[in-house]
Structure formats: structure tokens, C-alpha cells
Amino acid sequence: ARLNHLIDGLWLACMAAVIFFLGWWMFIGLQQQMEDGAVKGVLGWAVWPFYIPGIAALLLWGTIAAFQVFERDRYNVT
């Protein structure tokens, strides 16, 4: 049970790190799209605003995963 608990915590920490890593690279992609002035072909809309919901979702998901790493002992039901 302790090994399972340890593996679960390591998995949550790794998942949070990967999520924040992806969010960081998505933010860099947003900056590059803004600098390039990229637009969609048919409607002529700027591409960069469509990155914002993805970045927000990754930040929320990563924050929840990080909280689960530290709060899982408080609500551990065995």
C-alpha cells in the first residue's frame, strides 16, 4: 500500500510537470503567432487568440494536479 501511494504521488508530480511544460511551450507558440501576424486563410482571423483557451485549460489542469500531489494525504481513504 505504501509503495502504491508513493508511485501515485510520483505520477501526479510528473503529470503536473509535463502539463506546465506543455503550457509553457504553448505560450511561446502564442507569442510567435502574435509576432508573425499569422491569419486564417478563409476568414482572415488572427491565429493567436485561439491559443488562450488551451493555455488556460493547461494552467488549470496543472494547478489541480499540483494540488493533488500535496493534498492527497489529507483525504487518503484506505
Side-chain angles (χ1 to χ4, degrees):
R2 288 183 190 198
L3 180 62
N4 192 16
H5 190 69
L6 178 66
I7 291 171
D8 187 40
L10 289 173
W11 173 249
L12 282 170
C14 289
M15 184 174 63
V18 168
I19 293 166
F20 286 128
F21 177 76
L22 292 175
W24 172 251
W25 279 107
M26 199 163 178
F27 179 72
I28 290 173
L30 171 116
Q31 289 179 330
Q32 289 179 350
Q33 293 297 327
M34 287 177 69
E35 290 172 4
D36 292 344
V39 294
K40 286 293 196 184
V42 176
L43 297 174
W45 291 356
V47 174
W48 68 266
F50 297 100
Y51 279 70
I52 295 171
I55 293 170
L58 285 171
L59 287 176
L60 180 62
W61 185 22
T63 303
I64 290 169
F67 274 120
Q68 285 180 340
V69 170
F70 298 109
E71 294 291 323
R72 63 193 182 91
D73 288 332
R74 183 180 295 179
Y75 303 108
N76 189 16
V77 179
T78 56

